[in-house]
Amino acid sequence: MMRRSTIGLAVFFLGCLTLLGVEKMVQADVVRNTVSACILEMEKEGFRNFLKWRNPGIYLTEDNREKEQQEQREQLVYDMKAENDGWKERMEKIEQENAELQEADETDVSNENNAQKGDGENESQTPEEKRIPFTEYIQTVSTAVQARYTWNQLTDFDFLIDQFYQVHKSTSIYPSQLNGESILKTDLTISHDGDGPEILIYHTHGSEYFKDSDPDNPDTLITGVGEELCRILTEKYGYRVLHDTTVFPYNSSYTLGRKKAEELLETYPSIQVILDLHRDASPKQHLVTEIDGKPTAQIMFFNGMCQTKEGAIASRKNENLETNLAFSLQMKLAAEELYPGFTRKNYLKAYRYNMDLAGRYALIEVGAETNTLEEEINAMEPLAEILHVVLQ
């Protein structure tokens, strides 16, 4: 009897140990799963903070650098505001002076027109009389005689930016880079000595098309538009023009386009002007105006600033930046005088776009993919005339 009781107790004791072992094993699994989850969560969300605790010096350096850059940006904004302090007051004064000058000019013009009538001449100004060289236009502006903008306006940095430029968020421009007086007085006339080409037209994106283009017919692409510009500049204005219609693979177009342009410059050192003709990518806009009763694609002059908001891009220097800016702004002003509404605001972006290859280098966007080929072709006549006013 006693033996049976001893055996029963032993069996009961062994059963308890077994149950306890199973429970411990379950608890161990729960602990392991919990620890794994915590580690995973730390890797997802807390790993950077953990490293920061281990080596705060690295992050402290980064934080200081970011703070210094922010302070530099704030200081630059402050300096720019300080430099142009009181511009509103100056503008009010300028407008008052303009009103007085305009009143005096209207009297002079009326007298002049009466004198012309007496000589039997047409009282209205003909288109050819209107197209004066840009150097004469600047003389007109500087003496405030019947000009769309005054000299004080065109030498005011804030006015120039507000009136003529769209600055992409990737870049910036400073008053020292857009000195109105220096840019407006830059002489961009070209020499006609020699017999080689004076103007190069080429296309970084030669496959760009329009609303009614035939992809298999290059005459209906941007290259065909460039050929029309080449014809007008040659036949009407007498320039010697080389039009290169090479189409480059899109993903390496600026690299290959640069190489091609450099080869042509080496072969023809007589080239003084480079025009890179594009069309914009603007699927939601129909960029069109009317000139001489014809639907005409609007154009835009584009400049690469070779700098981000943080400063200059060391690998993308451009010694011709100021002359590039002068070229595009002078053409913009000529367009405003001759064909208001034909040009959009000049566009500034961060990189270089091969514009360092020449001072008289213009990247020109003609319309967009929503324009027709006819509208694009029609834009070449006023564009050629604008070029001629600046280059003659």
Side-chain angles (χ1 to χ4, degrees):
M1 186 71 174
M2 188 173 180
R3 185 178 177 184
R4 290 178 182 173
S5 299
T6 302
I7 294 172
L9 289 171
V11 170
F12 176 74
F13 181 72
L14 289 172
C16 289
L17 289 176
T18 301
L19 289 174
L20 183 62
V22 170
E23 185 178 355
K24 293 293 184 183
M25 291 174 62
V26 172
Q27 291 177 349
D29 289 339
V30 171
V31 170
R32 280 194 297 271
N33 292 337
T34 302
V35 171
S36 298
C38 290
I39 292 173
L40 183 61
E41 188 66 24
M42 185 184 75
E43 290 176 346
K44 288 181 177 179
E45 300 179 3
F47 191 60
R48 193 173 188 276
N49 292 332
F50 172 75
L51 290 179
K52 186 173 181 179
W53 171 80
R54 290 288 297 165
N55 193 357
I58 296 175
Y59 292 88
L60 183 61
T61 302
E62 292 179 355
D63 293 342
N64 286 342
R65 185 180 299 112
E66 182 177 354
K67 183 178 179 181
E68 289 175 0
Q69 291 175 349
Q70 179 62 27
E71 290 176 350
Q72 291 173 358
R73 288 193 290 268
E74 292 175 355
Q75 182 63 40
L76 177 60
V77 171
Y78 176 83
D79 292 342
M80 290 173 62
K81 293 294 184 184
E83 182 179 339
N84 296 283
D85 186 35
W87 67 272
K88 290 184 178 179
E89 290 76 5
R90 295 201 306 272
M91 292 303 297
E92 291 175 357
K93 183 178 179 181
I94 289 169
E95 289 175 0
Q96 183 178 355
E97 292 174 352
N98 290 344
E100 295 172 356
L101 289 169
Q102 184 176 0
E103 184 178 352
D105 291 339
E106 287 173 354
T107 303
D108 293 340
V109 171
S110 177
N111 294 335
E112 183 179 348
N113 286 341
N114 291 333
Q116 289 178 350
K117 289 178 182 178
D119 294 335
E121 297 178 4
N122 192 327
E123 65 174 298
S124 62
Q125 197 176 35
T126 66
E128 290 305 319
E129 290 172 333
K130 185 181 179 184
R131 276 59 167 173
I132 62 174
F134 192 81
T135 50
E136 293 181 25
Y137 169 76
I138 288 302
Q139 292 173 3
T140 301
V141 174
S142 62
T143 55
V145 179
Q146 283 196 314
R148 183 174 296 272
Y149 303 103
T150 69
W151 183 254
N152 286 337
Q153 287 176 325
L154 296 179
T155 53
D156 183 273
F157 175 77
D158 287 323
F159 182 85
L160 289 175
I161 292 296
D162 180 69
Q163 192 75 21
F164 303 121
Y165 288 96
Q166 180 179 352
V167 184
H168 189 267
K169 62 183 180 181
S170 66
T171 194
S172 57
I173 185 168
Y174 311 133
S176 60
Q177 296 171 314
L178 193 67
N179 183 303
E181 183 170 1
S182 173
I183 281 179
L184 293 175
K185 291 184 176 180
T186 299
D187 185 1
L188 294 169
T189 57
I190 65 173
S191 168
H192 298 287
D193 297 337
D195 56 2
E198 301 162 323
I199 300 174
L200 167 64
I201 302 174
Y202 83 121
H203 311 271
T204 299
H205 297 150
S207 61
E208 287 177 328
Y209 57 88
F210 309 103
K211 184 178 180 180
D212 53 352
S213 293
D214 177 1
D216 297 325
N217 183 358
D219 292 338
T220 68
L221 306 178
I222 190 64
T223 48
V225 178
E227 186 61 27
E228 176 67 5
L229 178 61
C230 177
R231 183 190 67 80
I232 296 171
L233 288 172
T234 301
E235 296 178 3
K236 183 173 182 178
Y237 296 105
Y239 292 101
R240 300 188 299 273
V241 185
L242 172 63
H243 182 207
D244 184 83
T245 59
T246 304
V247 177
F248 309 106
Y250 197 88
N251 60 356
S252 56
S253 55
Y254 276 99
T255 300
L256 296 177
R258 182 183 186 85
K259 182 179 179 181
K260 182 66 176 181
E262 288 175 333
E263 291 174 355
L264 293 173
L265 287 171
E266 184 176 356
T267 304
Y268 304 103
S270 55
I271 293 174
Q272 302 166 64
V273 181
I274 301 179
L275 306 176
D276 184 6
L277 208 62
H278 293 244
R279 67 107 171 103
D280 202 0
S282 186
K284 295 182 179 180
Q285 290 181 292
H286 186 199
L287 304 173
V288 67
T289 187
E290 185 175 299
I291 296 178
D292 297 332
K294 297 183 290 187
T296 304
Q298 293 175 302
I299 68 172
M300 179 177 72
F301 300 113
F302 183 106
N303 283 99
M305 292 301 298
C306 302
Q307 67 188 21
T308 64
K309 285 185 174 296
E310 284 69 39
I313 303 173
S315 61
R316 295 291 185 272
K317 294 181 179 180
N318 182 2
E319 300 297 332
N320 289 313
L321 178 60
E322 183 175 345
T323 313
N324 294 158
L325 290 169
F327 193 26
S328 60
L329 182 57
Q330 288 190 16
M331 286 193 290
K332 170 66 175 173
L333 289 172
E336 290 286 299
E337 196 69 19
L338 300 176
Y339 301 105
F342 174 49
T343 55
R344 300 154 66 194
K345 285 189 173 183
N346 289 9
Y347 198 82
L348 305 180
K349 207 168 180 181
Y351 296 98
R352 187 171 59 184
Y353 304 97
N354 295 334
M355 299 187 72
D356 60 308
L357 292 176
R360 300 176 190 83
Y361 190 117
L363 196 161
I364 307 172
E365 304 273 7
V366 185
E369 67 266 47
T370 51
N371 288 95
T372 64
L373 180 62
E374 178 190 10
E375 293 165 350
E376 295 285 317
I377 294 295
N378 288 343
M380 294 302 98
E381 183 74 47
L383 175 57
E385 187 170 2
I386 290 164
L387 282 161
H388 179 57
V389 166
V390 174
L391 297 175
Q392 69 174 311

